[in-house]
Amino acid sequence: MPVRPLSRRHLLFGSAALVPLLAGRASAFGEKSRFIPAVARHGGRWDARLSGLRRISWEVQRRTSVEVLPDARPFALSSPEIFEYPFLYLGADGGFPPFSTAEVENLRRYLTFGGFLLADANDGSDGDGFDASFRREIARVLPRSPLTPVPSTHVVFKSFFLLDSAPGRVLNKPQLEAASVGKRAAVMYSQNDLAGAWSRGELGDYEFDVTPGGEPQRELAVRLGINLCMYALCLDYKDDAVHLPLILNKRR
Amino acid sequence: MDTTPFNAWKLVSLSPLPVWALVLLGVGVALGVGLAAWGVRREPARARRWSLWGLRLGAGLAALFFLLEPGIRNLQVARMKNRLAVLVDRSASMNFPVEPGGVTRSAEAAAFLESAAPGLSALQDRYAVEVYGFDPELAPVTAESLTKEPARAGTSDLLSALRSAGAGAQGAKKLGGVLLLSDGADNVELANGAVGRARAALADLGVPVSTFVVGQEALKDLAVERVKVDDFAFVRNSLTVEVEVHGRGFSGQDVPVVLKQEGKVVASKSVRFESSDDVKPIGFTFTPDQTGRFVYTVSVPVYPDEAVGDNNTRSFVLKVIRDRVRVLLVVGKPSWDERFLRGLLRQDANVDMVSFYILRTMSDDPGVVSQERELSLIPFPMEEIFDTKLDTFDVVIFQNFGYSDSSLSIAQYERNLERYVHNGGAMVMIGGDSVLGEGRANMPTLYEALPLEGAGPANVDSFKARLTPEGMRHPVTAMASGGTSTEAAWAELPAIPGANLTRAKPGATVLMDHPFLTSDGKNAPLVAVWDYGRGRAMVLATDASWYWAFTAHKEGSPSRTYDRFWGNALRWLVRDPDLTTLNVTADPPSVEPGRPVGVVVASRTSDYQPAQDAQVRVELVSVDTQKPVAVQTGQTGPDGVVRLEFPPPAPGPYKLVATAKKGETDLGRGEDAVAVRAVGPELSDASVRPELMEQIAKYTGGKTYRLPMSGLPDDVPLLDPPVVEVGRAKDKPLWDRWYYLVALVGLLGAEWFLRRRFGYV
């Protein structure tokens, strides 16, 4: 798939142009109706990818009609305030201690009544570190909704970009996993450090190398991030019958 | 003592001996005669032989005479008359003229009866003549009553009338013949002719039926003969009404046929009749755009020289329901407000949703080389959804949708949308940063259909929405039975961040408002509804109602207020009958001419409990004139239901408009439709059917005649009266005379003398 890498100059220029746009729109009308990522604060290293969240918000703003406020808002998982932010990011570089009962219950209610959780193994772990901690805690939060692999036919792979894989900074697992509430995937889990591929430093440099695919893989990770945001916002919209013929035709 | 003279006699045996004894004695006598004949068989002289034989035979007969004791039985007899039934058709078609401008068929039958009276009188000695009209019950008629009293029967049932006439044979008199005077327009058992069972039934009558055809065949008439349509249809789904138009005397002519819904033309077609007696089927396909019960009328013009004008229209009632509420959701940009509304509508089994979201505008750069290969986006099919398919939706929801750039502007479809609402559709406008005074979008034509209009910049201060007094009662915002519960349900919901500043238009009903934001000195409306034309519209002046769906759960107390609010809103927008407190039902929905119009009214209080002892007033409103023609009042029973009845009104479409009050409390208004038919099946067909009359005569052994004719024909087939009854009898013996004994002795003596003379003794 052809990918156009973004240069630092383009990023700075684009960001500069975007600032007044974002600020102006944000204050115009009910900013909380916009897409604002919330970040789950927990006992581990939860804040390792804040720049990645800011970056993906920026990409959503640039590439889609969605209105965003780019700065991620951190909240304790037990905080009622997370109910004002239906998109919640939970990541960590390494394992984290068990959630408290209040956190488990609050997160369960959040997911049950419509919230969306993107879990991201910043350490690219598989069977240890974040992966072990997250699987342990999500089993407590949604004991009746186990994580299952997301098939390539899932709407998240066509909610905006047409994708057929789910890479991040690394490529531990080719696909996502999901825990569903009803027909809705309330939790999406990537073991590939998605936000690591999105993250940029203060000067606009990408913070981490992307392996094994390099910059094309980074672009795919960005597109997957946008698709995840779109899925959180539009649910199964792209599964509507009106879209199917065109999408099937494009996938040939 | 009966002094009636004997008028008949017969020869009888008066012997007291039993039959077997008489037989034995008779045999004995025969043997005696035979032996005597045997004894003289060799007598050469023929004269002698024959003399002896003759004398012995005479003696034998004389002996038998004494054995049988013959006598004369004098009888008093009376010949029993057969019945002759004259049956005159009293179905309504007999009021048709025999020919254009001529007398009625009944009048012609009456004239025949008068002219045939002498002929019938001549049959009086053998037949008891009975003259009946049948409708199809038999009732005596005279020529005079036929002229004075119009025929009324709604059906022509010739076979039933013939059976009834035959049933009289169970008594003493047997039916000897039937004279049937009719136009032959049978619409029951013989509707398809005398075939199959009907033919066998005619033969089983066992009596000749002579038919007299009334009316001329060469009538000129148009009739809407048959309308075939289901009892109900689905709103915004096309249906077909199948109609049969019968044209007589319209060969080669084009005739327009029109289908109207309560005065409004729904569809029209033209038919061309190929022959002078032709039936043309027509199909009208149309799409009802509103739920409810409506009177439809199929009509053809009434031409000046037509025999009957009443059968040129035919009405029927169609109940239009919805299968699922078809919702079109058009979203300006993905947002949390859209996400929670979509989630709600998608899980509602009663909602069939089609949605279009603007995922990307021309100013957005998706960062792809090939949009065709890398994006899942489809072009926004504006023409299809706002023009071609718009009428297929029950509700259109615009969610923060408003663009001014040419690729996304719907300016050219605004009028379509406004008309869609005006003509019975439903529209919801949900606020946001692009609409209701915000953004650059301006949709003045579409906004005409909305109850609110922008009044200034949006306010982003957090606030708790407040119910208005109207909102506490209105079906959209009423959450439970009783205003207190409703108020409490809304009070539990969280504050929402921001609202469009709007003002209510005259006629709008504001259900919720802003507690401190004002426009024109009043609290700014948040939720408002109104009826626009035949449709309905609602505005929700915020894009943060998702707080009621999601944020409301942050304290751990599940709330379904958001779900109920939207559920109520959709039901109200599509006029769900269950949301009315007054339910009116015509019973039945189609009324035959001359029948009363019944209506059942079910009344409920605002908390949807049966309203006992409510005062109900129902107006029967003519759709043609839009004026009430009758009023009935009544009081509901414990179940909140009352049944009222109107005297038979004139034919046509009507609305039943009901209002109810309990004390000073208004319980609302409801309506239904009822069609009072101009003609029943009897009057829809003015044709004369001589072929059926001929068949009836043929299969029963009668003859067919055509009126007019003067006098009763001489050759009417009738069964002769077969029965003779004995009244009184008196026997007069013949044998007990002395000379019979002398004759017997003389015969025997003569034979003895001759035998001795001839040498046989």
Side-chain angles (χ1 to χ4, degrees):
Chain A
M1 183 181 292
V3 177
R4 188 175 58 187
L6 196 65
S7 70
R8 184 183 306 174
R9 190 174 60 182
H10 283 141
L11 173 68
L12 291 173
F13 181 75
S15 300
L18 194 63
V19 168
L21 181 67
L22 291 174
R25 285 191 181 181
S27 61
F29 189 92
E31 66 175 32
K32 284 187 177 175
S33 286
R34 300 173 190 282
F35 181 84
I36 307 171
V39 177
R41 212 165 50 202
H42 52 74
R45 294 180 55 193
W46 59 271
D47 55 352
R49 300 289 185 264
L50 293 182
S51 70
L53 290 173
R54 190 181 308 113
R55 159 75 181 175
I56 198 65
S57 298
W58 184 86
E59 291 290 355
V60 169
Q61 176 76 46
R62 180 175 78 96
R63 302 190 190 208
T64 77
S65 62
V66 178
E67 299 292 343
V68 307
L69 286 182
D71 285 329
R73 313 273 172 104
F75 295 101
L77 279 172
S78 58
S79 169
E81 285 190 82
I82 61 172
F83 280 85
E84 296 180 22
Y85 304 90
F87 184 95
L88 181 63
Y89 176 86
L90 190 153
D93 192 354
F96 54 87
F99 296 156
S100 67
T101 303
E103 287 174 327
V104 168
E105 289 180 355
N106 200 44
L107 183 56
R108 180 185 302 138
R109 197 163 60 246
Y110 176 90
L111 296 174
T112 301
F113 290 109
F116 177 82
L117 174 69
L118 173 60
D120 191 17
N122 299 153
D123 55 1
S125 56
D126 187 11
D128 58 354
F130 179 89
D131 183 56
S133 299
F134 175 71
R135 290 182 188 278
R136 180 191 69 223
E137 295 310 308
I138 202 64
R140 292 174 62 205
V141 174
L142 296 175
R144 295 181 182 175
S145 304
L147 287 170
T148 54
V150 177
S152 60
T153 54
H154 194 275
V155 69
V156 77
F157 292 111
K158 57 188 176 187
S159 57
F160 191 84
F161 292 100
L162 292 172
L163 303 174
D164 51 17
S165 62
R169 177 181 59 81
V170 294
L171 196 54
N172 275 340
K173 293 283 179 70
Q175 294 293 9
L176 301 167
E177 287 183 72
S180 297
V181 175
K183 294 180 180 176
R184 172 177 61 89
V187 178
M188 287 280 188
Y189 175 40
S190 168
Q191 288 182 245
N192 298 328
D193 189 19
L194 268 174
W198 306 335
S199 295
R200 287 180 182 254
E202 290 297 320
L203 297 176
D205 295 326
Y206 289 115
E207 286 189 285
F208 306 103
D209 290 334
V210 175
T211 59
E215 292 309 311
Q217 181 174 321
R218 190 190 303 279
E219 171 63 16
L220 286 177
V222 170
R223 292 184 180 186
L224 179 61
I226 290 171
N227 273 22
L228 285 163
C229 297
M230 273 299 184
Y231 176 70
L233 284 163
C234 302
L235 298 176
D236 56 352
Y237 170 55
K238 281 294 173 183
D239 266 347
D240 283 1
V242 68
H243 303 285
L244 287 180
L246 190 119
I247 290 174
L248 286 173
N249 192 41
K250 285 184 175 183
R251 282 203 186 274
R252 271 180 200 156
Chain B
M1 183 176 174
D2 190 354
T3 57
T4 309
F6 295 108
N7 54 4
W9 62 271
K10 63 180 180 183
L11 192 63
V12 296
S13 168
L14 299 177
S15 171
L17 295 174
V19 175
W20 62 268
L22 291 174
V23 170
L24 283 176
L25 291 171
V27 171
V29 170
L31 282 173
V33 172
L35 286 172
W38 182 263
V40 296
R41 69 182 185 287
R42 300 189 188 280
E43 170 57 48
R46 181 178 294 181
R48 287 184 180 186
R49 190 171 67 242
W50 279 104
S51 298
L52 291 175
W53 284 1
L55 288 170
R56 177 56 64 94
L57 182 61
L61 289 174
L64 275 180
F65 188 81
F66 282 99
L67 284 174
L68 294 175
E69 298 181 15
I72 295 292
R73 178 168 291 170
N74 287 305
L75 295 168
Q76 184 185 2
V77 300
R79 184 179 290 273
M80 184 69 184
K81 287 182 184 176
N82 269 2
R83 292 165 52 241
L84 172 59
V86 181
L87 303 181
V88 184
D89 191 348
R90 298 295 285 152
S91 64
S93 64
M94 291 294 283
N95 288 333
F96 291 152
V98 292
E99 57 190 352
V103 299
T104 66
R105 297 172 186 176
S106 286
E108 184 160 271
F112 171 72
L113 282 183
E114 280 186 354
S115 69
L120 293 172
S121 297
L123 296 171
Q124 292 283 359
D125 59 335
R126 292 195 301 147
Y127 297 94
V129 179
E130 300 164 351
V131 183
Y132 297 111
F134 63 92
D135 59 356
E137 298 299 321
L138 302 189
V141 292
T142 62
E144 189 180 8
S145 66
L146 285 176
T147 312
K148 286 184 177 175
E149 297 169 13
R152 295 184 190 279
T155 56
S156 293
D157 190 352
L158 303 185
L159 195 53
S160 172
L162 292 171
R163 285 196 184 107
S164 298
Q170 303 301 323
K173 294 178 183 174
K174 186 179 177 184
L175 189 63
V178 177
L179 310 185
L180 177 64
L181 281 66
S182 171
D183 53 13
D186 191 288
N187 41 38
V188 189
E189 285 185 86
L190 297 172
N192 297 318
V195 293
R197 288 185 179 180
R199 177 176 170 174
L202 285 170
D204 288 345
L205 291 172
V207 63
V209 179
S210 296
T211 54
F212 294 78
V213 184
V214 190
Q216 304 298 315
E217 290 172 76
L219 274 179
K220 192 167 184 182
D221 187 45
L222 280 175
V224 180
E225 241 177 28
R226 194 163 298 168
V227 175
K228 188 178 175 187
V229 62
D230 291 333
D231 291 338
F232 61 89
F234 293 111
V235 70
R236 302 187 194 288
N237 284 267
S238 68
L239 82 153
T240 300
V241 179
E242 294 175 12
V243 179
E244 282 184 6
V245 182
H246 198 156
R248 297 177 199 83
F250 284 87
S251 178
Q253 267 188 257
D254 291 313
V255 174
V257 188
V258 179
L259 174 67
K260 291 181 179 176
Q261 180 203 321
E262 297 173 4
K264 188 183 78 173
V265 175
V266 173
S268 64
K269 284 189 175 179
S270 180
V271 293
R272 187 178 183 83
F273 294 103
E274 308 295 339
S275 63
S276 60
D277 189 356
D278 196 8
V279 178
K280 283 287 180 191
I282 311 168
F284 287 110
T285 300
F286 64 101
T287 306
D289 58 1
Q290 268 194 309
T291 56
R293 194 177 270 179
F294 306 98
V295 180
Y296 288 82
T297 305
V298 181
S299 62
V300 292
V302 179
Y303 292 88
D305 50 351
E306 265 194 84
V308 189
D310 287 346
N311 60 4
N312 289 35
T313 62
R314 201 172 174 100
S315 296
F316 61 93
V317 173
L318 187 65
K319 185 179 181 184
V320 183
I321 60 175
R322 70 181 61 81
D323 49 356
R324 294 204 297 170
V325 178
R326 277 177 59 79
V327 174
L328 171 64
L329 177 62
V330 183
V331 176
K333 60 190 73 169
S335 69
W336 296 120
D337 212 33
E338 159 271 310
R339 178 250 174 273
F340 284 95
L341 183 57
R342 178 180 179 82
L344 177 69
L345 296 179
R346 286 286 286 172
Q347 71 183 17
D348 189 338
N350 295 315
V351 171
D352 178 17
M353 183 173 65
V354 175
S355 42
F356 291 97
Y357 301 172
I358 305 301
L359 298 186
R360 185 203 150 214
T361 67
M362 295 309 289
S363 60
D364 297 315
D365 176 14
V368 295
V369 176
S370 168
Q371 294 187 14
E372 290 303 311
R373 294 180 56 83
E374 296 173 65
L375 298 179
S376 65
L377 310 187
I378 62 171
F380 187 33
M382 279 190 281
E383 183 178 348
E384 186 178 5
I385 62 174
F386 295 133
D387 189 353
T388 316
K389 299 282 179 64
L390 183 60
D391 285 337
T392 67
F393 295 102
D394 296 305
V395 182
V396 175
I397 302 176
F398 269 40
Q399 190 159 20
N400 193 23
F401 181 88
Y403 286 96
S404 56
D405 50 315
S406 58
S407 63
L408 295 172
S409 168
I410 62 157
Q412 62 177 313
Y413 301 107
E414 277 189 66
R415 182 55 71 188
N416 280 7
L417 284 158
E418 186 271 335
R419 279 188 193 145
Y420 159 78
V421 181
H422 192 272
N423 293 336
M427 174 116 201
V428 179
M429 178 70 77
I430 299 175
D433 60 1
S434 299
V435 291
L436 298 172
E438 295 296 303
R440 286 173 296 174
N442 186 24
M443 298 180 279
T445 309
L446 173 59
Y447 281 9
E448 287 174 20
L450 302 181
L452 300 183
E453 59 187 358
N459 185 293
V460 296
D461 294 335
S462 185
F463 69 99
K464 272 210 164 198
R466 195 177 68 169
L467 271 180
T468 64
E470 291 78 13
M472 288 188 199
R473 295 190 300 269
H474 200 278
V476 170
T477 40
M479 288 295 119
S481 57
T484 309
S485 305
T486 294
E487 207 167 15
W490 283 104
E492 285 176 4
L493 295 180
I496 56 176
N500 293 88
L501 178 59
T502 60
R503 69 170 68 90
K505 293 181 187 173
T509 301
V510 177
L511 307 180
M512 302 189 81
D513 62 14
H514 201 292
F516 51 82
L517 183 65
T518 59
S519 62
D520 298 341
K522 298 178 182 174
N523 289 73
L526 183 71
V527 179
V529 295
W530 74 355
D531 284 5
Y532 183 75
R534 296 166 58 210
R536 287 180 164 175
M538 183 177 105
V539 173
L540 173 59
T542 181
D543 66 347
S545 67
W546 65 274
Y547 266 57
W548 300 336
F550 184 58
T551 313
H553 296 287
K554 69 179 179 184
E555 301 300 337
S557 54
S559 168
R560 292 184 52 78
T561 303
Y562 176 81
D563 300 20
R564 286 185 186 150
F565 166 68
W566 277 110
N568 289 349
L570 288 183
R571 291 171 65 195
W572 178 82
L573 285 161
V574 299
R575 298 174 189 272
D576 189 324
D578 288 343
L579 280 188
T580 62
T581 52
L582 203 63
N583 195 294
V584 185
T585 308
D587 180 29
S590 283
V591 180
E592 291 296 313
R595 299 286 184 183
V597 172
V599 56
V600 176
V601 181
S603 179
R604 291 181 290 189
T605 56
S606 58
D607 56 359
Y608 284 82
Q609 297 299 311
Q612 185 177 359
D613 299 331
Q615 300 300 318
V616 175
R617 183 176 190 274
V618 185
E619 287 185 348
L620 184 68
V621 180
S622 166
V623 171
D624 295 334
T625 63
Q626 291 297 314
K627 289 181 180 174
V629 296
V631 176
Q632 289 285 352
T633 57
Q635 187 168 312
T636 58
D639 55 354
V641 176
V642 62
R643 189 182 196 286
L644 301 171
E645 197 168 276
F646 291 89
Y654 292 89
K655 284 280 185 189
L656 289 158
V657 182
T659 53
K661 276 190 168 184
K662 185 168 183 178
E664 293 304 310
T665 308
D666 192 350
L667 297 181
R669 181 179 182 278
E671 64 178 48
D672 198 6
V674 61
V676 179
R677 294 176 60 184
V679 292
E682 176 64 23
L683 291 181
S684 65
D685 185 0
S687 65
V688 177
R689 294 175 62 191
E691 74 287 349
L692 175 62
M693 299 292 274
E694 287 168 6
Q695 287 174 334
I696 292 171
K698 179 181 174 185
Y699 298 138
T700 58
K703 286 190 174 181
T704 300
Y705 307 92
R706 283 175 183 262
L707 299 186
M709 60 191 305
S710 57
L712 186 68
D714 298 330
D715 57 346
V716 175
L718 298 173
L719 297 179
D720 283 328
V723 179
V724 176
E725 277 210 352
V726 179
R728 210 156 58 87
K730 186 177 181 181
D731 294 335
K732 186 178 175 185
L734 293 175
W735 63 276
D736 56 347
R737 304 290 190 274
W738 61 269
Y739 40 83
Y740 293 140
L741 187 60
V742 170
L744 174 61
V745 172
L747 284 169
L748 286 173
E751 189 200 4
W752 178 80
F753 173 77
L754 288 178
R755 279 182 175 260
R756 287 192 56 95
R757 179 73 178 253
F758 299 155
Y760 287 99
V761 178

